[in-house]
Amino acid sequence: MGNEESEYNRPLIHYTPEYGWLNDPNGLFFDKKEKLWHIYFQYNPNGSVWGLPLYWGHATSKDLVNWKHHDLAISPEKDDEGIFSGSIVIDHINTSGFFDDSIDPDQRVVAIYTNHDSNEKQTQEIAYSLDAGYTFTKYKANPVIDLNLTQFRDPKVFWHKQSNQWIMIVVKSQDFKIQIYGSTNLKDWKFHSNFSSGFYGFQYECPGLFEVPIENSTKSKWVMVLAINPGSPIGGSFNQYFIGDFDGYNFAPDDTQSRIMDIGKDFYAFQNFSDVEEGAIGLAWASNWQYGNLVPTTERRSSMSLARRYTLKEININPETKILSLIQRPIIPDSITAVNSIVKTSFHPTINNILSLVAQDSTGLFDFKLRFKIKEKRFSNQEKITFDILVQSQVQDNEIDTVKVGFDAVISSYYFNRAIKNKNFENEFFTDKLSTYMEPLSYDDNNLPVFELYGIVDRNIIELYFNDGAVAMTNTFFMNEGRYPHSIKLVVNNEDSKFEFEQVSLRHLTN
Amino acid sequence: MGNEESEYNRPLIHYTPEYGWLNDPNGLFFDKKEKLWHIYFQYNPNGSVWGLPLYWGHATSKDLVNWKHHDLAISPEKDDEGIFSGSIVIDHINTSGFFDDSIDPDQRVVAIYTNHDSNEKQTQEIAYSLDAGYTFTKYKANPVIDLNLTQFRDPKVFWHKQSNQWIMIVVKSQDFKIQIYGSTNLKDWKFHSNFSSGFYGFQYECPGLFEVPIENSTKSKWVMVLAINPGSPIGGSFNQYFIGDFDGYNFAPDDTQSRIMDIGKDFYAFQNFSDVEEGAIGLAWASNWQYGNLVPTTERRSSMSLARRYTLKEININPETKILSLIQRPIIPDSITAVNSIVKTSFHPTINNILSLVAQDSTGLFDFKLRFKIKEKRFSNQEKITFDILVQSQVQDNEIDTVKVGFDAVISSYYFNRAIKNKNFENEFFTDKLSTYMEPLSYDDNNLPVFELYGIVDRNIIELYFNDGAVAMTNTFFMNEGRYPHSIKLVVNNEDSKFEFEQVSLRHLTN
């Protein structure tokens, strides 16, 4: 891993393509035989902006943070066509008939994707791999679903044990319909039902449905995910989700509430991995269509989010009510270790109100974890009771670039600020300031509210997890040319602090 | 109307209290006899921040833009209590028995509000006025609804002709329930049903239900409004709405979609006026609880939005789909006239790419209207095809403060920017950049997309109406001390412009 200037804004443990353009994650699956994670993605190898022909790029990882680039996995037939988003299933029992006994049941890889043709018609096609996901053969009788539509895409397929069939979740994009189909062989599909809820936005994309375990329970619920672009209330692209039951034919949501997966600006087209050994794991494209083509990385653009483990849990939403929510926790393997760190199990900032970790030879990779309480229950409306985490670049030309995460105890809310005066990047849609209210994670013996914050900074992306993953916020940021994070500081902005930290960890990491 | 420096950030035609603190609009009604609009509001006359005791302040207007301050309308019994939000109905046929024939049927004013007592218990109470809304007598048998709750408030009452009863819409705030009650006398209330949908946020506040006419039709639908604070995806306070049918007992939404009334940061606690002669009219508090108590106006804080006329209309949401949406248009009377203006019925910015209207002796009140088409149908991903409307202060110490609204043709989206380096106001929750995708309003004969934008700037607030009110965005802004808008410019940012303006109107207004 180098600190090359030219790569100052390439994340180390977030997947980025070697060169070219990347968007939606596709075909995510775990190869149980090789214990290998495969990701595919919308890929333009001919330029670092979105454009046709569009391919499925491919990468693999043993640990979800160190990635190996592979050759193009699936290619369109013509240069004005695209292999659009889709998914991969492992056809263990060879329902498709594509495999024989020479192929390990855990490596019977079938891709289901949208073919976008020269006439902009979108149909669902399938392809199979006889080499565990490296090369694919298109099914000769494609397409498997053709409704003669231009806005019909992004099939996510999984095996539904209870009803003994393959299920496809796909969108009639501009008709705002998530469609559910069933099949016994991945080739012949029968329409079951439509689902629609939440925000319309402009159109639906990249739907998904997966079973998510409820914490401290043997139960699970089904989570329907839906990407909307544009039309996020925050601007551009975002991912919604709905919690409910699924019988193989209809998705029955528990309620009509709208829920946002990640309240940052850079988390879109989420997909979960097929064939994981336990629980639910997925990741998203860490950019936004409002500016994804314009960010100041030239030879390649966009990265994925970290892979996250998903569970469901009842969380406090106000003093009276708990609701079942998606909990997201990044998967960070033990191979990622601290170069240096500041770790405290108790920090009373009355005495010492700044903790500063400066990396000598920075990797650009940091994380921080805070567990704190607020020592008073009420504040007057005009008090300022805050602390900040500052992520800062090395000093260059007497300038320093800063990204900030802070907490305001008076309104119990986190704020995030990525405003950086960048000579090479100014964009009116690159929202600088984001925020979220947080209810306390718990209360201590004196009934004082307790909060937790985990953040991971990787060159030009920061993922924030509030209250042990109850709320996530993912944002990219762009420091000036050659600059990237070199220090991380906790700054408490009050003389007589109202905060008490039970845990502070600031770490400079290496992969 | 003066240009007093001390009043540089007091809007002229948006209601602000003479001094003290204002939040939610309450008791909005139209006196048909006097042809007079009454507004009441959450009011702290003892300071310019929220605090108890809290009163109903009062103002009246003949035209909804020129307001007269009145004495306190309803006061709490004790200094640690508050008369919280509520509404007013005209009890024409004296169902309550509070009136006799000496009171004109159009002036039989009954207020229904939440009493917040010393123990933080919230109950619904009523009070009547025998002088057309200036002074009130509390009902001796108050409260009219007491569920022994601390989070139960904001009754909005109206007469429901079809079921011949008064309807109260009120929230069990932290239980996320909009409750519907019925009564024949305003004193005895019977529970009918609960409703819940959309975003949870932290809690429900200020619900409402009103009948809204569908444009070009004799039909109407019911619109349920709901204020959420905090918990807006954009941060802090926001107003949702749902469209459906109401039979006097249950609200049946047409769908489970979430809709936001105004995608700015400063539009909360919307309420419609009772007893209007035709259609539906309402207004909101033009601030946000994330920073409402902190904005740099010292002797008083907050204003209302302009009153808006509400209709429903099928709007384009993408090329395939139209959906019924709330249309909002500000009510601006003829008495508001142009001091000077630039008005063009055709503007081809190839030749002249800046239009600049500078006010000599600025009132700080401006409006602008644009109708434009985009002359190409597709752009490449990295083109920059934009124009800006710049609202700028007078130059002072070689500095100028700017608020910007722009349109980006490549992603068919508007952006708004209120980032101003203000020596007296820096706030991490005061989101600078907001944006919204817009589908074309219509297409011209050559199938080129046509858009419309109306904006009104009033000292320190800007209301934007996209596509004839299909989307509204309301934001306050804070220029440096003594500065306020003095010019308005249309700047097209391309040499060979891709825009063609069919209408441009930039006006410096006086009231």
Side-chain angles (χ1 to χ4, degrees), chain A residues 5 393-401 423 480-483:
Chain A
E5 291 286 302
S393 70
Q394 66 274 44
V395 179
Q396 197 185 46
D397 305 331
N398 285 318
E399 283 173 11
I400 195 161
D401 290 338
K423 292 170 194 74
N480 280 278
E481 204 170 329
R483 294 184 203 165

Side-chain angles (χ1 to χ4, degrees), chain B residues 225-450:
Chain B
V225 297
L226 175 61
I228 301 283
N229 177 67
S232 168
I234 320 169
S237 324
F238 77 126
N239 246 105
Q240 302 187 64
Y241 73 98
F242 312 95
I243 302 172
D245 297 314
F246 180 63
D247 63 2
Y249 301 89
N250 292 284
F251 176 70
D254 288 353
D255 56 43
T256 61
Q257 304 303 137
S258 290
R259 294 171 169 89
I260 294 180
M261 283 188 86
D262 186 296
I263 54 153
K265 284 214 58 161
D266 298 305
F267 191 88
Y268 188 66
F270 169 86
Q271 187 175 99
N272 70 300
F273 281 86
S274 292
D275 240 39
V276 299
E277 296 193 303
E278 203 192 338
I281 293 172
L283 53 76
W285 179 48
S287 190
N288 189 310
W289 283 112
Q290 284 188 322
Y291 47 71
N293 280 294
L294 299 167
V295 297
T297 63
T298 47
E299 292 184 5
R300 45 112 212 137
R301 277 201 179 83
S302 305
S303 70
M304 295 302 176
S305 75
L306 289 177
R308 300 176 180 180
R309 183 168 287 283
Y310 286 81
T311 56
L312 290 165
K313 192 178 168 184
E314 297 259 330
I315 63 160
N316 299 320
I317 186 165
N318 65 37
E320 289 185 13
T321 306
K322 284 172 182 281
I323 61 160
L324 196 64
S325 283
L326 210 45
I327 304 295
Q328 306 181 70
R329 298 188 184 93
I331 296 174
I332 298 167
D334 295 339
S335 60
I336 294 179
T337 54
V339 180
N340 51 331
S341 62
I342 295 174
V343 176
K344 289 181 177 288
T345 51
S346 172
F347 174 51
H348 299 271
T350 310
I351 306 156
N352 174 7
N353 74 337
I354 295 185
L355 294 177
S356 176
L357 178 75
V358 180
Q360 287 307 316
D361 184 15
S362 180
T363 59
L365 185 65
F366 294 83
D367 74 359
F368 52 94
K369 188 168 182 182
L370 306 176
R371 185 179 167 91
F372 61 94
K373 16 176 126 157
I374 303 172
K375 293 193 289 185
E376 287 180 24
K377 275 173 207 166
R378 285 207 184 178
F379 299 100
S380 77
N381 288 325
Q382 294 194 305
E383 280 186 271
K384 192 190 173 195
I385 312 293
T386 62
F387 69 77
D388 294 320
I389 293 282
L390 304 180
V391 175
Q392 295 185 305
S393 70
Q394 66 274 44
V395 178
Q396 198 186 42
D397 305 330
N398 285 319
E399 284 173 12
I400 196 162
D401 290 339
T402 301
V403 172
K404 176 159 57 173
V405 190
F407 181 78
D408 184 321
V410 179
I411 58 171
S412 194
S413 297
Y414 285 98
Y415 48 90
F416 171 73
N417 191 323
R418 61 178 179 175
I420 291 170
K421 203 168 171 53
N422 187 320
K423 292 170 193 77
N424 299 314
F425 183 56
E426 207 177 323
N427 187 294
E428 291 289 353
F429 297 96
F430 196 75
T431 316
D432 295 331
K433 293 175 174 177
L434 295 158
S435 61
T436 185
Y437 173 84
M438 280 309 301
E439 189 66 14
L441 177 63
S442 57
Y443 291 86
D444 78 356
D445 295 342
N446 300 315
N447 207 26
L448 295 175
V450 179

Side-chain angles (χ1 to χ4, degrees), chain A residues 9-211:
Chain A
N9 56 18
R10 183 194 282 273
L12 306 183
I13 64 169
H14 288 75
Y15 181 71
T16 51
E18 203 167 1
Y19 60 91
W21 166 264
L22 165 153
N23 59 293
D24 307 350
N26 297 147
L28 309 184
F29 82 96
F30 180 66
D31 178 335
K32 284 177 177 158
K33 179 157 180 269
E34 296 292 328
K35 308 288 178 209
L36 191 65
W37 299 91
H38 286 255
I39 65 171
Y40 305 80
F41 45 86
Q42 291 292 285
Y43 188 41
N44 176 12
N46 302 312
S48 54
V49 296
W50 186 91
L52 299 176
L54 206 70
Y55 300 79
W56 272 29
H58 182 205
T60 56
S61 175
K62 282 280 180 191
D63 61 3
L64 292 167
V65 296
N66 288 291
W67 293 97
K68 192 171 166 188
H69 304 294
H70 295 292
D71 290 343
L72 295 172
I74 312 181
S75 304
E77 299 300 309
K78 298 182 194 164
D79 278 357
D80 59 354
E81 298 190 337
I83 304 297
F84 278 12
S85 288
S87 52
I88 276 177
V89 294
I90 305 303
D91 184 13
H92 297 273
I93 57 168
N94 195 21
T95 63
S96 62
F98 290 139
F99 307 99
D100 61 27
D101 288 350
S102 72
I103 310 293
D104 190 285
D106 287 341
Q107 295 184 326
R108 293 175 177 175
V109 172
V110 181
I112 308 94
Y113 57 86
T114 298
N115 191 64
H116 177 87
D117 79 10
S118 307
N119 300 316
E120 304 202 343
K121 193 167 99 163
Q122 298 184 341
T123 54
Q124 312 324 319
E125 299 197 347
I126 62 177
Y128 55 96
S129 174
L130 301 179
D131 60 359
Y134 295 89
T135 62
F136 285 82
T137 305
K138 290 177 184 170
Y139 175 45
K140 61 180 190 306
N142 274 334
V144 295
I145 308 182
D146 178 358
L147 303 183
N148 200 26
L149 294 173
T150 60
Q151 302 291 336
F152 177 48
R153 60 183 176 269
D154 307 343
K156 170 65 178 164
V157 178
F158 61 90
W159 180 254
H160 186 249
K161 242 182 306 187
Q162 297 87 334
S163 63
N164 205 36
Q165 62 177 332
W166 297 106
I167 297 295
M168 182 193 293
I169 309 294
V170 61
V171 289
K172 280 177 145 170
S173 195
Q174 297 189 4
D175 195 22
F176 299 109
K177 286 195 173 75
I178 299 176
Q179 297 208 301
I180 301 173
Y181 290 82
S183 172
T184 54
N185 60 8
L186 294 168
K187 295 167 180 169
D188 304 300
W189 292 92
K190 186 165 177 275
F191 172 73
H192 289 332
S193 64
N194 288 320
F195 177 75
S196 178
S197 193
F199 265 96
Y200 279 121
F202 172 75
Q203 64 184 359
Y204 283 4
E205 293 193 322
C206 299
L209 182 58
F210 64 128
E211 203 171 355

